[in-house]
Each structure stands twice: as C-alpha cells, then as structure tokens.
Amino acid sequence: MITIVMGSFQSLPDDHQYRTLSQKTGFSLEQIAILHNRFKQLSQNEETLRRDDLKTIQDLESNPIRSQIIEAFFDSRNFQKEGVGSVEEIGFEEFLTVMSYFRAPPQHITEEQREEMRRAKLRFLFNMHDTDNDGTITLEEYRHVVEELLSRSGALGRETAKGIADAAMLEVASISVGPMAPDEFYEGITFEHFLKVCKFVHLYA
Amino acid sequence: RDWRTGCFDEECFGVLKMFILVLGLLVGSLMPLGGAASSPDTGTGHGGSHGNKDPGYAKNGNGTTYSKKPFPVLSFDYEHVRLPFEISLWVLLASLMKLGFHLIPRVSSIVPESCLLIVVGLLVGGLIKLVGEDPPVLESKIFFFYLLPPIILDAGYFMPIRQFTENLGTILMFAVVGTLWNSFFVGGLLYGVCQLEGHKLAYVDLLSCLLFGSIISAVDPVAVLAVFEEIHINELLHILVFGESLLNDAVTVVLYHLFEEYSSVGLITVTDVFLGIVCFLVVSLGGIVVGAIYGILAAFTSRFTSHTRVIEPLFVFVYSYMAYLSAEVFHLSGIMALIACGAVMRPYVEANISHKSHTTIKYFLKMWSSVSDTLIFIFLGVSTVAGPHQWNWTFVVATLIFCLVARVLGVVGLTFVINKFRIVKLTSKDQFIIAYGGLRGAIAFSLVYLLNPEHFPMRNMFLTAIITVIFFTVFVQGMTIRPLVDLLAVKKKQETKRSINEEIHTQFLDHLLTGIEDICGHYGHHHWKDKLNRFNKKYVKKCLIAGERSKEPQLIAFYHKMEMKQAIELVESGGGSKLPSALPSTVSMQNIQPKKPSQDRALPQLSKAREEEIRKILRTNLQRTRQRLRSYNRHTLIADPYEDGWNEMLIKRKKMKELEKKISQMNNYLTVPAPPPDSPTIARARLASDPQAWGLKSVTESIPTIKVDLASPQSPESVNVVDEFSKKGSQPKEEEGGLTMKVPSPAKQRKDKTPDEEPQQRLMRCLSDPGPAAEEEDEDEPFLP
C-alpha cells in the first residue's frame, strides 16, 4: 500500500482514483504518487496546471525547445481522448497522461503491445512537430523545428536552418516516397513516413 | 576483391614470390653472418635471442699489423643494419601476408585473419627452428611499448562516445565484476585441481594460481577487435564486448601486481586487499585523468596549428603516446589513459584541424593498428614454436574448461543483475554472443612472459596453458562465431549512414527528455548530460577550439560535414551525376518546395505549357550560368593552399557534368529535362564549407561585382532569361529560391530588399549565392554526440 506523504494538500485523491489512473496510464501507484506531488508543487496546490506554472521551472529556461515542450502538455491530441486544439489548463489526469508517453515499456508485454506503445510515443513526437494539426509536417513546420533547436544558439541565419530543414525533408521524401517526377509535390511528412524515418527512437526518461 | 581470374593468379603468384623472398631473407638474416661482432641489441626482441655468436673470423683492425690491401670497391657489412633490417623484414612479411589473404577469397571468408596469421607465425617459427636458430619471441617490452599502443589509440580515437556512455554501467559491470569473478573462479578452482592432482602440481600455490587466473581472465581487445570487425555485429554488442576488453585492463593491472608482489611472501592480508581496492581506483581513475590531461593539451595545441597544417597529425599521435607512457611510469592503466586521451581530444581536434589532416590521422591510425595487429598474431605463432613449454594435461585442460565455464556463468549472472537496471534488456542471444566473444590474446601471453622464472617455477606451464587457451579461443571461437551469428540471426550492424534527420531528431529528443526530466523534478541521466554539454560549450569549447568554430552548433557542424562528405563522394566517384548517398536522384527541391501562389503582380496570362517551357529554360540556364560563375570563383578564392586540389576536383566535375548534360540534351532547349536533381545538392555541397579552412572570407565582397559582369555576355539565352524575368515576375524566382539552398550571410544581408527588388537585380542576387558564410553568428550548441 502507499503511504502518501501529502499531508498539507487539500484534497487527497483516494486510492480508487489512483488505481484508475494506474490502469489508464500504466504507471505504478508509487510513481503516480510521486508525480502527483510534483503536480501539486508546480501548480501551487491548485487543481489545475497552467502554462505559466511550467514556465517557472528554472532548469527549463535553457532548453531551446521549451515552448514546444510546454505546448505539448496543453495539446488535446495528447490526452488520448478525441480532442483537438490546445487548452489553457490541465488537470492531474492529463498531466499524467502526457507523462506516460515517456514511460519505459514493461518487460513482459507482447510484441504487439510494444509496437503500440512505440506508435503512441511517436505520435506524441509527431504532434509536437505538426503544430497546425493537419496530419502532415510541412516544410515550414520542419523549418520551425530546426530553428527552434538552433534558437538557443543565438541569432542563427534563417538560411542555414532552412538549408538543414530542406535537406532533411529531401531525405524523408526519398526514403518514404522514392523517385518522384519533377512536377510532383511532396506535401509533407505524414505519420507513416515519420514512423519509417524514426526507427531509432527510444523515448524513455 | 579482384575476381578477374587471369590477373588473380598472377597477383597471387607475384605475392607468393615476394613472400618466399622475404621469408628467405628473414631466415637468412638470423643465421650468423660474418662481419664485425657488433654489440647485440639491448634486449629488444628480434636480435635478442641470438646472443653473441662468434663471428667466425676476426674483425679487421683488431690485429696490430696490417698489410696494404687494394681499396675495397664493394663490401658487405650486414651487422651494421641488422636491427632495422630485421624489423623491416618482419613488417614486410606481415603486410605481405595480409595482402595474400585477401587475394584468396574463400579462405578469408571462413577463417578470420587472426587465425591465419597465427598459422603463418607457426610456420615461420618452425622454419627458423629447422634452420637451427632460435626463433625470436614476442618480447613483452616491444609488445607493450610499440605494438599495443597503436591498436588502442585507434580504438579510443574512433570510439563511439554516445553508445559507450549510454552503456557505461553495463560495460563497467562486465569489466570489473566480471573479471574479478573470472580470476577468482579460475584461480581458485585451479588450485583445487592442483592440490587434488598431487605430485606433479603440488608445488603450485594458491597465490600463483590466482595470479594465473587474473592474467587469463582478461578479455583481450586485440583479439576481440580482430574477430568482431569481420562479423559486423550490431553496435550494442560490439561496444559491450569491446568496452569490456578495454576497461578490464585496470583490474588486470591491479590484480597482477597484487599477486605478483605477494606471491613470494606467500600471504595476503586484509590490509593488502583493501589497499588493492584503493589501488584499483587509483589506477583506473589516475589513468583516465592522465589521458584527459594530455587530451586537453593536444586539443589546445591544435588550436594554433592553422598555419602549419602538415604536422597536425603528429600532435595527435605524440600526445597520445606520451599519455600512455606517462601512465606507465606510475604503473597506472596505460590503456585507459590512451582511450581517455583519444576520446577527450577528438571533438576539439576535429573542429580545429583541416580535412586532410583528419584523413591522415585516420589512415595512419588504421595502418599502424593493422600492422601491429598482424605482427602480434604472427609473433604469437612464432613464440609458440619458440617458447619453453611444459605440457601438463591436467592443468591445461582444467584451465580451458574453467575459463569457458567461468565466462558463461559470469555473463549470465551479471546480465541477470544488469537487466534490472537497463531499459533495453539484454536477451539470451546477446548474452551468448558476449560470452562467446570473450577472446583471450597476446596481452595475457605477454603478462605471463614477464613473470620471473625464479619466483614462479611453474611459469613454463603457465605459458603453455595460456597459449592453449589463446589458440582455442582465437581458432575455435573466432572461426565459429561468424556462422553462429548468422545462425542465431543476431542483429547485424546497420549500414545506414547517419542522416540529417537522425541528427535533428536525436538532438530534439535529448532536449525533450531533458525538459521532461526537469518538469518531473527528477535529475536523471539527461539532466546531467545537458549540464555537461552546457559547461562544455560555455567554457571548454571557447578555450580549445580555434576561432569561430568554437561557436558553431553541433547541428550545423554536422550538416556541413555531411555536405562536404557528399560533395567529396560525388567528386571522387568521377563526377557522375548519380548521388552515391541516400538520396536517390529523383527527389529534388522542387518536389518539396510548396508552390507559392503567384503574388500580386499584373501578369499576362500564360498558358500552362508555355509556363512550363519557360520554367525549364530558366532552370537550365540559371544552372549553367551559375556553373560558369563558379568557375570564376576559383580565381577569386583565397583558398587554403593545402586545399587546392579540392577546387580542381570541383572544376573537373563540373566540366564532366556539363558534358553529360550536353550529350543528353541534344541541343534542344525547349525539351530540356528537369535539371539533374543533384544540382541543388551540389550547390549545397559547394556552399557548405568551413570558412576557416577555406579562407573564403573575401569572396562575399567580390561576388556581386563578378556576377553582374558575367551574367550578360554568356549566351543569348541568359539575355532572354532576363527578359523573361521582367515579363514573368516573381514566379521563377520562387522556384529558384527552391533550387538554391543558400547558406547564410550573402543572401541574408540582402534579404530585406526582397519585396522591392527589380526582377533583374533579384536574378543577380539569387545567382550570387555561393561562398559559405564568412561571418559566423553567435551560436552555442551541445556538441557531445
């Protein structure tokens, strides 16, 4: 059983809630307790978390993709419900759901389940890039990604970022679609192509 | 491999002839030749075993009386050059053997090279013995000072740091705990066997057995490298076994010294054990620190070598060797020092040195390590024939069995513990390969050879046993590991090159995971890595990397490197229009560039077909003009004098490309096919280069003026182009924007003029793309791959 040291907090979620959450996200009860602590800490004992709360984290300051990470927490697509668009505040359940994408897969699961988990994680990553939610990562969006990555490094000329993003898109196009006639237009990276490209991804924290 | 059978036979025969010649010379050189009885070489291997043979006739000038002789036109004085001559002969022999093996395709695919080399060594040793001479033995000093360092440096310099650090825990467990387990298991059991056996072996005491156990349980990096290189196993397993073989050196050193010191006393107390543990920490960490210091020195030195590019590789080699020797002075782990030195200096040195130096370093290291490796195995064979042997069935067989059993048990047990902490678990297939890949080699042999026969009367027996184990692991395990790998369908190494996508995503993921860790409030792996990166870019890089490169973010550096590689491949492949890398030649920029809606300009309505034609004309001609412009670039480049060849290659390749295009076009501009899709890549390739190495700073100023002049008189088409432009408006330029991937500043500076520019001038500007950015913007970026 869990002895949760949350004495100072107002509303204690009961065991039952924890169990449902555990079922849903796959975290153990202990882990949920720890994360709940953190949630409370970040949201200053409120029920919901806002963007500003996350922005107060010191260590995130130096992270070049900070805003994208924070956005990901507020993106309804990641809540595993059928929502779209972004929200202003999230509850603990959503917080936990987003965190669950970074959980290491348990050892004894079937190959299918493992694949499913992997897809979910890659979908999360995809959503982070596909900001306008049209199902493809266009060249503009990809460029934005590269610029963000290099943004912390000071005023990088947009041209190099463009060049890098162009090269990357070319690669994805050639891997996923193969030979294209000069008039064809490659719309953008779809999720399927993304899967093909990201074979190496290990999303564990 | 050369499959043309006619030449094949000739080549083989030729090599064989040379080989016989060399062998004959070698054997001959070992025979006592006449001449002055020069002092024997001071214990360095080859000549050492000959001793002072009586020359057979007196030296000239020894006598007091001498009569006048005719002036000697030709004289024979071999002793003069004996030592270097013999060394060269051995090296030549080794290299010819290597040549020979690869000419016989079938053999080299079944038997790993190391086995063949040992066999050759056996043959040579046997031959020498037949002649009646003492074959030279693998002297430990030569081995440790001259033969081993190149191999280790090669391994350390090219070590994949990322995988190594990710698996560091596992590797350390195997290296430290695994080796300790092996030593004690083997040593202890052997002692038991010796006691049980009775009369012949009873004199072998516990400490000697433990010493033997510690020597023999160390996995050998040379053997592992030699075998694993040929089987192309996946990176994880490779780094695990290889990392283990490198890091267990510290354990071996400590155990060896511990047992050697006290075996004469015959007793070890708890204090000694405790001191041994402290010693282990000192040896390993000390070795790493020494290596790191020299690495930083080397990196710092390389910062200033921009004017003397020729000796850059020398610094790398000498500093590394000094690191090794310095560590050996204090009996620290020389191998770990060497690895640390190579790994620490590499990122900084590579940012500083020229491309040619980088190639030189790579090739020299590969060459030396290859020769070393070959020599080691040959000498192992020769020493087997030479060495004093004492065969004892029980001891040898027991050793062999215990070694294998210990290895398997050790790996299985450790994996069980390790898997609790690993994310990517080790499967049983992995475990099998790790256990099976624990090869022993020349290090163990040399260590035994170093033992003093007075303190260790059973040294010869140890030698025999070790040689047997080495032979077994190298021959049996080495030969069978390849079919086993195929049988078990172990994952092989992915042949994919590191792509720009991977790089982007790896970095993205790193930041993402660091961010998530921060949100969790959990200071994990990524958090510390990130801190280290930031420290590195803030302080260390500024210190150790010359000039502007210190601020280049890793992504950009990677991108440039990749471009350069692609460009070089293109050029080296004879300037063909096929891109040898991952990009098939049919996806190009116009496929991904979104077709922007035509902007607010009053355009005459052109039919689609006509638009297409025009577009094609423009594309072709712009390209040609650009190419011509680039040929002018050459004269305005203040290129690094050592990089001249690069430009020439570019010119050559351009010419060939033009030729090809001309042939394919059939002079019909209207039906011109889309430009060879590799052109944007070429454009990129030429654009992306390091301003420091290329000294292209002055280009940006001179380009605009050149452009304006050249564009006009080139050809009637280009004039039409200009006209078309004024008619057509912005659309072709958008496309062009897609075709050229400009690198920073030149375009950037004029970017603000974009909306208002005259079409004509915009053409000029777009043409003036080349030249890498002269100014580096302020950038930091984590560098650790």
Side-chain angles (χ1 to χ4, degrees), chain A residues 38 62-63 73 99 102 142 153-156 160 163 167-168 171-172 174 178-181 184-186 200 203-204, chain B residues 423 499 501-502 509 511 516 518-520 534 556 559 584 586-587 591-594 684 744 777-781:
Chain A
R38 182 67 179 168
S62 48
N63 199 319
F73 274 90
M99 281 299 190
F102 299 97
Y142 211 38
S153 331
L156 169 68
T160 312
E171 231 177 61
V172 178
S174 48
M180 288 174 72
E184 275 181 66
F185 176 59
Y186 184 62
F200 62 91
L203 207 60
Y204 310 122
Chain B
I423 295 173
S499 69
N501 267 302
E502 250 187 69
L509 272 180
H511 287 301
I516 295 288
D518 291 333
I519 292 181
C520 275
R534 271 185 283 140
I556 299 194
Y559 177 59
T586 46
V587 179
N591 292 117
I592 65 177
Q593 195 68 18
R684 275 186 293 142
E777 290 83 357
D778 219 67
E779 299 141 346
D780 330 306
E781 189 65 29

Side-chain angles (χ1 to χ4, degrees), chain B residues 35 52 129 215 334 457 459 480 499 535 593 645 667 676 680 687 755 783:
Chain B
N52 290 326
K129 213 161 193 170
I215 294 176
R459 173 178 171 264
T480 54
S499 69
F535 171 74
Q593 195 68 18
N667 289 330
L687 305 183
F783 84 99

Side-chain angles (χ1 to χ4, degrees), chain A residues 131-150:
Chain A
T131 43
D132 61 1
N133 198 20
D134 60 355
T136 56
I137 304 179
T138 60
L139 190 58
E140 274 311 313
E141 286 167 345
Y142 211 38
R143 276 186 194 152
H144 184 65
V145 170
V146 177
E147 275 166 21
E148 283 290 303
L149 266 182
L150 297 172

Side-chain angles (χ1 to χ4, degrees), chain B residues 427-669:
Chain B
T427 65
S428 34
K429 262 195 244 168
D430 295 335
Q431 289 174 40
F432 176 75
I433 296 290
I434 295 176
Y436 209 68
L439 305 173
R440 315 305 200 263
I443 292 187
F445 177 83
S446 308
L447 283 176
V448 169
Y449 206 76
L450 274 177
L451 289 177
N452 191 334
E454 283 157 21
H455 293 162
F456 297 95
M458 69 294 286
R459 173 178 171 264
N460 294 339
M461 191 169 67
F462 284 174
L463 214 55
T464 316
I466 283 227
I467 287 191
T468 316
V469 173
I470 293 178
F471 272 39
F472 183 84
T473 54
V474 173
F475 278 92
V476 174
Q477 285 177 235
M479 272 203 271
T480 54
I481 200 169
R482 202 198 309 230
L484 274 173
V485 161
D486 290 332
L487 194 69
L488 290 175
V490 178
K491 259 190 297 182
K492 294 275 186 94
K493 181 155 69 162
Q494 240 98 15
E495 290 301 341
T496 51
K497 293 194 204 169
R498 201 159 155 95
S499 69
I500 188 82
N501 267 302
E502 250 187 69
E503 185 71 25
I504 293 178
H505 281 292
T506 314
Q507 285 214 5
F508 190 83
L509 272 180
D510 276 344
H511 287 301
L512 176 62
L513 293 175
T514 311
I516 295 288
E517 276 183 8
D518 291 333
I519 292 181
C520 275
H522 163 61
Y523 286 159
H525 175 62
H526 287 95
H527 178 88
W528 294 116
K529 210 157 83 144
D530 192 56
K531 271 215 156 68
L532 183 66
N533 279 339
R534 271 185 283 140
F535 171 74
N536 182 50
K537 95 184 155 206
K538 205 161 159 206
Y539 300 111
V540 183
K541 264 188 171 181
K542 288 218 169 73
C543 219
L544 296 180
I545 299 185
E548 294 305 317
R549 289 296 291 276
S550 62
K551 302 195 200 111
E552 197 177 45
Q554 187 197 2
L555 194 57
I556 299 194
F558 178 82
Y559 177 59
H560 286 328
K561 206 157 70 161
M562 191 187 79
E563 300 271 278
M564 187 107 114
K565 251 191 259 185
Q566 276 183 359
I568 292 178
E569 276 172 17
L570 253 174
V571 172
E572 281 177 356
S573 68
S577 50
K578 285 269 164 281
L579 207 58
S581 63
L583 287 179
S585 50
T586 46
V587 179
S588 58
M589 275 313 294
Q590 62 256 46
N591 292 117
I592 65 177
Q593 195 68 18
K595 292 180 174 44
K596 298 209 177 80
S598 55
Q599 306 195 332
D600 40 31
R601 246 160 264 262
L603 297 173
Q605 261 317 55
L606 295 167
S607 71
K608 189 150 196 312
R610 180 104 173 100
E611 259 188 43
E612 264 313 305
E613 271 174 39
I614 295 174
R615 230 176 272 163
K616 281 176 184 162
I617 298 173
L618 292 173
R619 256 187 250 137
T620 342
N621 286 291
L622 284 174
Q623 251 202 312
R624 282 147 115 246
T625 359
R626 209 177 303 126
Q627 285 164 9
R628 277 181 229 119
L629 291 172
R630 270 193 212 93
S631 61
Y632 267 87
N633 280 352
R634 179 171 188 255
H635 299 294
T636 60
L637 286 181
I638 303 178
D640 181 342
Y642 299 108
E643 314 274 8
D644 267 347
W646 172 235
N647 292 326
E648 282 165 26
M649 285 197 287
L650 278 176
I651 308 299
K652 226 185 351 183
R653 194 207 46 73
K654 257 189 331 261
K655 287 208 176 79
M656 285 187 61
K657 225 178 59 101
E658 272 181 86
L659 207 61
E660 270 183 43
K661 259 186 33 185
K662 279 209 174 71
I663 295 173
S664 63
Q665 277 172 19
M666 297 181 295
N667 289 330
N668 189 346
Y669 291 118

